Amino acid sequence: MTQEQTEAINTGQTESRNRALWRALGPPVIGAVIGFVIGALLILMAGANVQEAYTAMLRGAFGGSRQITETVLKAAPLLLVGLGLTVAFRARVWNIGGEGQFFVGALIGAVIALNFPDWPRPLLLSIMLLGGVVGGMLWAMLAGVMKIKWGVSEIISTLMFNYIAILLVQYMARGPLQEPGGYLPQSAQFVPEARLPLLFDSRIHAGVILAVILVAVVYGLLWATPLGFRLRMVGSRSSVARYAGVSVEKSILFVMAFSGGLIGLAGIIEVSTQLTRLKGDISGGFGFAGILVALLGRMHPLGVAIASILFAALIIGSESMHVVSGLPNSLADAIQAVIVLSVLAVDALARRRQK
Amino acid sequence: MLTKTNEPVVQMRGIVKRFPGVVANARVDFDLQPGEIHTILGENGAGKTTLMKILYGLHAADEGEIRLRGKPVSFTSARDAIAQGMGMVHQHFMLVNPFSVADNIILGQPSSRKPLMDDPKLIHQRIRTLSEQYGLIVDPEVEVGKLSVGQQQRVEILKTLYRGAEILILDEPTAVLTPQEVADLLPILHRLTEEGKSIVFISHKLDEVLKVSERITVLRDGEVVGVTPASDVNKADLARMMVGRDVILKVAKEPAQPKEARLQLTDVWVDSDRGLPALRGLNIEVRAGEILGIAGVAGNGQSELEETIAGLRKVKSGQITICDHDTTRSTPRDVGRFGLAHVPSDRYKMGLLPDFSVAENMFLQRIGESPFTQRGVLDWKAIHQQAQGLINAFNVRGATVNTPAASLSGGNAQKMILARELDRKPQVLIAAQPTRGLDVSAIEYVHSQLVEQRDAGLAILLISTELDEILALSDRIAVMYEGEIMGIVDAADADIDDIGLMMTGSKPTNGQTRGTL
Amino acid sequence: MDWSQVLQWGFVIALVTAGIRLAVPVLLAVLGEIITERSGILNLGLEGIMIVGAAGGFMTAYYLETGPLAGLAGSWSAWLGLGAGMLAGMAMGLLMAVLSITLHVDQVIAGVTLVLFGHGLADYFYRLQFSSLTARVTGLEQISIPLLSDIPVLGELLFRYDPTVYLTVFLVFLTWFFLFHTTWGLNIRSIGEHPAATETSGINVNLGRYAATLIGAGLAGLGGATLTVVQLGLFREGITAGRGWIAVALVIFARWRPGLALVGALLFGLADALQFRIQALSQVERGVGTLPYEFLLMLPYLLTLIALLYRRGRRDAPAALGIPYTQDSH
């Protein structure tokens, strides 16, 4: 190969790398802009001041160390759910049941926390986390088994399991696990040993670190292991994967278990650190917002990390906006969905251009 | 036959159609005389179908003019073309399988009592009349999916006639038919022209082109290379015009030196997706160093056979062995380990992942093995290195290790698959429809590779619905009909009529009383 | 709980009539989705479309009843609310159509995102307008069909409903007739089975899919509005409670047929009614041994899962369901 040829190839590579970067970042950036513009329209329709509302939102999310801490704490469960769903969606398994898996993970972890308060802390915490993982895992695998055994669409089954899981937790919180002598539908508070340790003298807890580590783990799984390669094969075209000797059934079970496990982990971490007790309503829609996080993050762990912070900021910031402008904080939900819808549209348009 | 001197019914002038990256039609002229059968000949990708889709209003030409009976027209949809008396029978039938014949025929037709559908009885009557007039007998009330391929083609032709077509475009109408069905089709075409219809016949099969047409327009790389009366040319002339060089019409090969049996199927029964028996007591054996060809019309169990051996379909009863391993219940992974490689019939549904890179596609089955994975982690450097080696060895053009497979041409995609399968050092190879949709040079390449591998001792099962390909490559030929092997003959003394008969379900009786259906 | 109460005539009649009423919103969505899916578009956004229809319908009816125009619309305010719900649903449907038909966005992803969008939007506008949750509308009056409604038992069971119930039953028939006896229906079914073949017959595939998606979303929006405007008279966050998803499941259960959709929706309605009734009974005599109401609330979702197990796979599904159509791909 001559010098010139090598150079040509090298510049070709940088060029295509730039283009790849643009293709990866362009749509989310444009999508976010469209999302906030439509959000501004919604604010105008309410007769409020856009600048005031958005400023409040920004300050609420990033205005100081307390706000940033809140945002990070909100981002952690979103990140865990988004990472789990990234693996599932990469295999084109549509686990829409994050909400349910979150609840079941929290439930199992809470049962452990409430029943073994005198276990040594490291043991109690690890068994709690493990319980959360296993709970979410099994709950998700139920839908996986129904899919591979009987061809039941996982989209609908995971959704039905959401409602069932939420009702189950509501019952447990006002029934068997209710705080003795209490009136509210909630369990007793966990002993301090059942709460994840805090770090840096702040409210940031070990779960945040765990979520960040899992970004690398998921990245490695998908692009550095044969297992991840096979999962992506299944997602690309399952008939080809089958031809090439991949067990599509096992892959479906695996991604269900993996995503459910991460989401269940998110559930128990949230209960252990933020609420410190089991309640009838614990999630605040992490299971659903996680879907959007995975999509906006383009099913790439780094993208998911960025998306989880953006969405956490939206959620936290919208509470300040609510206080300042009196606007409903559900504006955040609408903006989130608009951002993702715009990304989908921009993406599709870009693909058309290419063709 | 006399050259007709009337005004052409169709005139296409300077037609240009560009698709991203290719010019499908470059200033094509084409005339159709009334009552004539005019063939457009060209190899896959020469632009035949594109030209006809433009004429039929499915594509818009970028440049050029179309005149119908002397008047300029511009169609924006098939509806316009149909209204002007055009009808097209597509290569892949455009039939809605769960619908009845009648519903397929009236689809898109105005109803006399809109928005209600016309009275079914009336429709059925009209269809029956038309059927009898042209000798295209089908029951209008039966579900199209339950008809044979030949009958479905009749429905397609009836559909155009019902809609008042005067000009018929038949895109590769014989590709899916048995030799006998082809023989039945040709008189129907003549009957149509006698009734005043004009026919555009698209094909790449030289024999039938010479037999059926009055004039031939040859396309190559989107350009017209010649227009000639069929009586003025022979096969070799046409092949040269079509490909642009002399074509070896026969594959050069020595007689086979078969050795031990490597693949055996004993009384194998398998169900189709719809739960009906697809393979019925199949017995075949493929030996090292030979090519066994499976001939037959599409849909007679070929894809089930392919999938069954590859471990993709459940065997109901019987036994399969690959290199002395019982693989009756094996997974695709296991049969691969026992020495089977597989060039699948459906390249895009099975053979490759379009959004994966060429390098990734090269090692779909072996990604977890050394040297592609070291200590549980993918070694991308090794993957790219090995892939580059295969790209060079098999001359996969337009490919770097990072190119997505989607951007390869059909021929190069097939080379990539062939490279992957042969690099696995197989003992047995299933090559199913290995040249479907390829151009002549790619076909030549694939054929020579198969023969070379046979000579090196590979056992090859060739499944193809192209009878010419079976005849050119096989050492022995097994004819399949409705999931059964009707007979196995030596390629050396194979009689094409016998094979044709077996393809339609009659068993040979020692050649003595053949011909009694 | 005293089970003898459950088995009394009055209870059964109340149960069945409630079941029929509760079936209506879901059935409307199922009918719409059958039309949409028959054209090959899998619209999973139903839940979001229903809730936007529910919110749009409720708010319209509320303003016509209490706003500056109060009294002008009179008894028409509920009808106008239903119409508004339908239009709101169609607007959502248009979004789905642009994404899936024109832009070829993966239909599963587009649908799921649409649900979340619908929830956010409905909730935002509702909370913007209503600070307290006490707003109510009066809805539609029951129409007792003369003579027929006086038949003992049967009259009570079948002929004393608000107009939307009769309308929905009529729509079941109309949907069936539309799909199987009109040229439009033939075209739509053909598009869903084999779009390329349909295009070659001179039919505009994308136009048909847009129409089917808009009709389907309109019916789902109407279903949502029926729930809030006619049946409950109020709106809450998440009031559709998964009915859109259940509708998607019932389409499979019904094998894409309107008649079977009626059966499926009635089953769902009965489960829902049973759950309400037993809860009501349990509350009267809250004591030991009553089934916790959460488990009763699970009933419709469990039933949906069972229904999916009962009709598994997509054997009867339109062949091109969920697959984007491009002219060049054939």
Side-chain angles (χ1 to χ4, degrees):
Chain A
M1 200 178 279
T2 67
Q3 182 76 32
E4 284 146 69
Q5 275 175 318
T6 327
E7 262 171 33
I9 288 171
N10 284 343
T11 50
Q13 270 176 349
T14 21
E15 208 182 81
S16 71
R17 199 169 295 158
N18 282 343
R19 200 183 297 165
L21 195 70
W22 170 240
R23 225 180 304 158
L25 293 182
V29 170
I30 297 171
V33 171
I34 297 176
F36 282 102
V37 168
I38 292 182
L41 289 178
L42 290 175
I43 294 170
L44 282 176
M45 283 168 86
N49 182 322
V50 175
Q51 198 192 345
E52 183 189 83
Y54 275 162
T55 311
M57 193 182 259
L58 193 66
R59 286 221 182 104
F62 299 113
S65 62
R66 195 177 59 81
Q67 285 82 353
I68 292 174
T69 305
E70 285 302 319
T71 301
V72 169
L73 288 174
K74 205 64 160 183
L78 283 174
L79 178 53
L80 284 169
V81 177
L83 286 173
L85 294 180
T86 290
V87 173
F89 292 174
R90 278 273 168 190
R92 287 187 74 80
V93 173
W94 302 114
N95 178 3
I96 311 295
E99 197 75 359
Q101 292 140 29
F102 191 96
F103 270 77
V104 173
L107 173 64
I108 304 294
V111 168
I112 294 167
L114 293 168
N115 279 301
F116 308 102
D118 36 8
W119 280 5
R121 192 177 190 196
L123 180 70
L124 178 59
L125 279 177
S126 14
I127 299 292
M128 269 173 72
L129 293 186
L130 192 69
V133 171
V134 171
M137 218 179 233
L138 292 177
W139 196 248
M141 283 170 83
L142 221 54
V145 170
M146 284 175 75
K147 183 179 174 74
I148 63 179
K149 285 263 177 215
W150 301 297
V152 174
S153 155
E154 77 277 20
I155 302 169
I156 303 171
S157 63
T158 51
L159 243 142
M160 295 299 118
F161 282 127
N162 276 347
Y163 291 104
I164 294 170
I166 294 168
L167 288 165
L168 183 69
V169 169
Q170 281 176 1
Y171 164 69
M172 295 299 278
R174 80 165 174 92
L177 294 182
Q178 193 179 25
E179 182 169 18
Y183 291 98
L184 296 170
Q186 60 182 34
S187 75
Q189 198 165 35
F190 296 168
V191 292
E193 285 74 22
R195 300 180 210 166
L196 282 179
L198 303 179
L199 304 164
F200 318 124
D201 208 17
S202 70
R203 296 187 54 224
I204 304 282
H205 52 76
V208 177
I209 306 299
L210 199 57
V212 173
I213 293 170
L214 279 161
V215 173
V217 171
V218 168
Y219 181 86
L221 170 73
L222 284 174
W223 281 282
T225 67
L227 173 64
F229 187 91
R230 293 194 187 107
L231 296 177
R232 288 188 292 119
M233 276 173 79
V234 172
S236 176
R237 196 156 295 178
S238 60
S239 54
V240 178
R242 208 183 287 277
Y243 153 86
V246 178
S247 165
V248 173
E249 289 75 20
K250 279 184 200 157
S251 304
I252 291 171
L253 268 190
F254 175 85
V255 296
M256 272 297 183
F258 189 91
S259 56
L262 280 200
I263 297 167
L265 179 66
I268 183 58
I269 289 177
E270 185 70 4
V271 173
S272 154
T273 58
Q274 302 305 104
L275 307 170
T276 67
R277 53 167 36 118
L278 189 73
K279 290 183 183 176
D281 180 21
I282 49 176
S283 162
F286 287 120
F288 289 112
I291 297 171
L292 297 178
V293 166
L295 291 177
L296 176 63
R298 331 209 68 199
M299 303 179 217
H300 189 291
L302 281 178
V304 171
I306 299 169
S308 68
I309 291 171
L310 175 67
F311 277 22
L314 264 169
I315 296 167
I316 297 293
S318 69
E319 278 159 26
S320 308
M321 179 195 72
H322 176 61
V323 174
V324 173
S325 301
L327 290 164
N329 51 9
S330 41
L331 180 64
D333 299 337
I335 293 181
Q336 286 173 2
V338 172
I339 290 175
V340 173
L341 286 173
S342 316
V343 173
L344 295 175
V346 173
D347 237 1
L349 283 173
R351 251 181 291 135
R352 286 203 133 185
R353 267 291 161 71
Q354 247 181 1
K355 283 183 189 164
Chain B
M1 200 170 280
L2 285 170
T3 316
K4 299 193 172 73
T5 50
N6 324 10
E7 189 187 24
V9 277
V10 175
Q11 284 175 292
M12 298 178 88
R13 287 285 168 271
I15 300 295
V16 177
K17 177 69 183 177
R18 297 180 202 92
F19 291 116
V22 275
V23 181
N25 290 151
R27 310 217 151 275
V28 174
D29 296 340
F30 175 76
D31 281 340
L32 181 66
Q33 297 291 342
E36 123 179 285
I37 301 181
H38 188 155
T39 293
I40 301 182
L41 178 72
E43 48 171 332
N44 288 314
K48 300 168 293 194
T49 302
T50 305
L51 186 69
M52 287 303 111
K53 282 188 173 170
I54 290 169
L55 179 57
Y56 190 62
L58 289 173
H59 287 328
D62 297 326
E63 291 171 36
E65 187 195 38
I66 303 173
R67 284 169 180 267
L68 229 56
R69 298 175 200 92
K71 272 182 250 136
V73 288
S74 81
F75 300 146
T76 54
S77 81
R79 186 182 284 269
D80 299 344
I82 293 167
Q84 296 281 335
M86 309 273 321
M88 183 160 180
V89 175
H90 296 260
Q91 183 178 2
H92 304 289
F93 293 155
M94 292 296 172
L95 295 171
V96 183
N97 280 339
F99 284 14
S100 70
V101 169
D103 281 351
N104 267 287
I105 288 175
I106 62 165
L107 184 65
Q109 285 303 98
S111 157
S112 60
R113 39 176 213 180
K114 205 171 170 65
L116 300 193
M117 293 203 285
D118 267 318
D119 180 12
K121 277 191 202 122
L122 201 77
I123 303 277
H124 294 163
Q125 195 44 51
R126 269 192 231 159
I127 293 172
R128 287 205 179 91
T129 315
L130 209 56
S131 302
E132 279 155 31
Q133 188 185 344
Y134 291 97
L136 296 159
I137 305 302
V138 275
D139 177 359
E141 291 174 61
V142 78
E143 202 182 296
V144 158
K146 295 193 171 135
L147 297 177
S148 75
V149 175
Q151 288 172 310
Q152 290 185 353
Q153 188 167 57
R154 286 182 202 168
V155 177
E156 282 281 41
I157 297 174
L158 269 178
K159 203 162 100 180
T160 64
L161 296 173
Y162 185 90
R163 294 162 189 203
E166 293 298 322
I167 302 159
L168 272 74
I169 305 166
L170 307 178
D171 189 0
E172 306 260 3
T174 59
V176 290
L177 303 181
T178 64
Q180 276 79 7
E181 282 175 321
V182 173
D184 291 344
L185 177 67
L186 300 185
I188 292 177
L189 297 185
H190 286 299
R191 186 146 168 194
L192 287 166
T193 52
E194 277 158 27
E195 300 265 344
K197 316 282 182 200
S198 315
I199 296 177
V200 186
F201 188 88
I202 303 177
S203 181
H204 65 263
K205 290 185 180 170
L206 307 175
D207 285 315
E208 66 193 34
V209 165
L210 286 169
K211 221 179 281 173
V212 71
S213 28
E214 279 147 52
R215 286 195 301 157
I216 301 167
T217 293
V218 184
L219 282 186
R220 183 168 77 226
D221 295 335
E223 291 181 55
V224 176
V225 289
V227 186
T228 169
S231 48
D232 293 1
V233 285
N234 62 25
K235 258 174 92 172
D237 298 334
L238 287 178
R240 200 177 313 114
M241 288 169 82
M242 191 164 98
V243 184
R245 59 178 163 84
D246 282 320
V247 181
I248 316 126
L249 292 167
K250 215 161 158 48
V251 184
K253 64 179 173 78
E254 302 291 312
Q257 311 275 326
K259 300 201 175 59
E260 80 283 2
R262 292 240 179 104
L263 170 69
Q264 286 155 302
L265 277 77
T266 318
D267 194 25
V268 170
W269 288 76
V270 168
D271 280 351
S272 72
D273 290 338
R274 295 163 78 187
L276 305 166
L279 299 185
R280 304 192 289 180
L282 215 67
N283 290 296
I284 48 175
E285 181 182 281
V286 188
R287 295 167 295 177
E290 75 165 350
I291 299 178
L292 174 70
I294 303 280
V297 177
N300 277 288
Q302 290 96 328
S303 52
E304 284 86 356
L305 173 64
E306 175 191 351
E307 290 168 18
T308 303
I309 300 171
L312 289 161
R313 195 171 273 278
K314 226 173 89 187
V315 177
K316 250 174 74 186
S317 72
Q319 198 192 23
I320 304 174
T321 55
I322 295 172
C323 299
D324 302 324
H325 298 279
D326 184 341
T327 64
T328 313
R329 317 230 170 282
S330 294
T331 61
R333 203 174 175 152
D334 290 335
V335 294
R337 247 183 240 142
F338 295 142
L340 182 88
H342 176 194
V343 175
S345 53
D346 195 331
R347 219 167 291 148
Y348 295 94
K349 228 172 121 186
M350 270 198 209
L352 58 81
L353 292 168
D355 54 339
F356 275 41
S357 72
V358 169
E360 290 176 310
N361 269 291
M362 284 285 190
F363 308 110
L364 292 183
Q365 298 98 334
R366 293 182 289 160
I367 197 75
E369 296 166 15
S370 174
F372 314 110
T373 296
Q374 306 281 7
R375 277 177 250 104
V377 178
L378 296 179
D379 183 346
W380 285 107
K381 214 173 143 193
I383 292 169
H384 285 176
Q385 243 166 27
Q386 299 274 332
Q388 189 61 53
L390 288 175
I391 290 170
N392 298 343
F394 284 78
N395 193 18
V396 185
R397 259 172 284 168
T400 71
V401 287
N402 288 316
T403 319
S407 63
L408 297 182
S409 71
N412 285 305
Q414 189 72 335
K415 281 183 187 174
M416 177 187 81
I417 293 171
L418 204 60
R420 176 182 72 211
E421 295 307 307
L422 293 178
D423 190 50
R424 294 164 68 196
K425 306 280 179 286
Q427 305 291 316
V428 180
L429 175 73
I430 309 174
Q433 315 295 355
T435 60
R436 182 182 275 171
L438 305 189
D439 61 24
V440 169
S441 21
I443 293 175
E444 285 174 347
Y445 182 83
V446 172
H447 283 180
S448 66
Q449 276 290 329
L450 290 178
V451 172
E452 206 175 287
Q453 291 295 327
R454 177 203 76 163
D455 292 343
L458 188 62
I460 300 177
L461 180 70
L462 171 70
I463 303 174
S464 176
T465 48
E466 293 275 345
L467 192 51
D468 293 340
E469 178 167 71
I470 294 281
L471 291 168
L473 290 177
S474 314
D475 301 307
R476 292 186 299 139
I477 300 170
V479 185
M480 209 167 156
Y481 175 76
E482 293 197 340
E484 282 183 78
I485 297 294
M486 305 309 291
I488 300 183
V489 294
D490 264 343
D493 45 50
D495 180 319
I496 190 161
D497 291 331
D498 275 345
I499 294 178
L501 281 175
M502 287 193 269
M503 283 165 80
T504 50
S506 56
K507 290 204 179 183
T509 45
N510 294 331
Q512 299 259 320
T513 53
R514 74 180 151 88
T516 56
L517 255 164
Chain C
M1 185 169 61
D2 183 1
W3 282 96
S4 64
Q5 256 181 296
V6 174
L7 300 171
Q8 276 167 15
W9 239 155
F11 181 87
V12 171
I13 288 177
L15 180 75
V16 173
T17 52
I20 289 174
R21 264 186 213 106
L22 287 166
V24 164
V26 180
L27 184 51
L28 285 168
V30 176
L31 291 175
E33 183 72 4
I34 286 178
I35 294 174
T36 307
E37 290 194 15
R38 281 275 185 180
S39 83
I41 297 295
L42 176 66
N43 185 356
L44 290 180
L46 281 195
E47 176 76 5
I49 293 169
M50 282 186 89
I51 198 141
V52 168
F58 173 79
M59 282 190 257
T60 305
Y62 182 81
Y63 277 104
L64 289 173
E65 275 184 15
T66 60
L69 300 171
L72 267 177
S75 64
W76 286 98
S77 59
W79 286 109
L80 290 172
L82 290 176
M86 193 155 125
L87 284 178
M90 288 174 93
M92 292 285 281
L94 185 64
L95 188 57
M96 178 70 195
V98 171
L99 287 170
S100 59
I101 302 166
T102 304
L103 295 174
H104 300 166
V105 171
D106 184 292
Q107 289 172 24
V108 172
I109 294 179
V112 170
T113 312
L114 201 67
V115 172
L116 300 175
F117 176 60
H119 272 289
L121 204 63
D123 203 33
Y124 176 72
F125 278 111
Y126 179 76
R127 285 210 245 158
L128 209 54
Q129 309 298 338
F130 302 93
S131 43
S132 73
L133 296 172
T134 50
R136 285 184 172 270
V137 295
T138 43
L140 291 170
E141 291 204 4
Q142 168 184 308
I143 297 179
S144 297
I145 295 186
L147 299 178
L148 287 178
S149 60
D150 296 332
I151 305 170
V153 183
L154 218 57
E156 230 178 310
L157 272 180
L158 296 178
F159 301 109
R160 290 184 197 173
Y161 293 102
D162 70 76
T164 59
V165 175
Y166 305 120
L167 179 76
T168 306
V169 174
F170 176 66
L171 278 173
V172 173
F173 169 78
L174 198 66
T175 306
W176 168 80
F177 190 80
F178 170 78
L179 281 174
F180 296 98
H181 290 276
T182 67
T183 52
W184 297 325
L186 183 74
N187 293 355
I188 283 186
R189 285 187 291 129
S190 174
I191 290 170
E193 288 292 340
H194 196 333
T198 316
E199 188 90 42
T200 59
S201 291
I203 295 158
N204 188 330
V205 168
N206 284 352
L207 189 68
R209 287 189 161 179
Y210 263 91
T213 307
L214 286 186
I215 294 172
L219 286 176
L222 179 64
T226 306
L227 183 71
T228 50
V229 175
V230 179
Q231 302 196 336
L232 303 171
L234 52 80
F235 182 86
R236 289 279 180 284
E237 189 181 342
I239 192 135
T240 44
R243 282 177 174 80
W245 292 108
I246 289 169
V248 173
L250 286 180
V251 172
I252 302 170
F253 173 81
R255 284 151 62 193
W256 294 266
R257 282 159 221 242
L260 283 173
L262 179 66
V263 177
L266 280 177
L267 274 176
F268 165 81
L270 283 175
D272 215 10
L274 188 70
Q275 164 276 110
F276 269 126
R277 290 283 136 181
I278 296 180
Q279 252 193 79
L281 277 186
S282 310
Q283 260 159 17
V284 174
E285 37 186 301
R286 188 169 269 250
V288 264
T290 54
L291 195 58
Y293 69 86
E294 287 91 352
F295 289 89
L296 291 168
L297 283 170
M298 287 178 197
L299 207 58
Y301 309 114
L302 286 170
L303 185 79
T304 305
L305 285 171
I306 293 166
L308 281 177
L309 281 175
Y310 174 67
R311 279 227 212 291
R312 52 216 194 197
R314 11 186 302 159
R315 193 164 282 188
D316 299 295
L321 183 59
I323 304 166
Y325 172 70
T326 34
Q327 252 200 18
D328 298 337
S329 68
H330 61 261

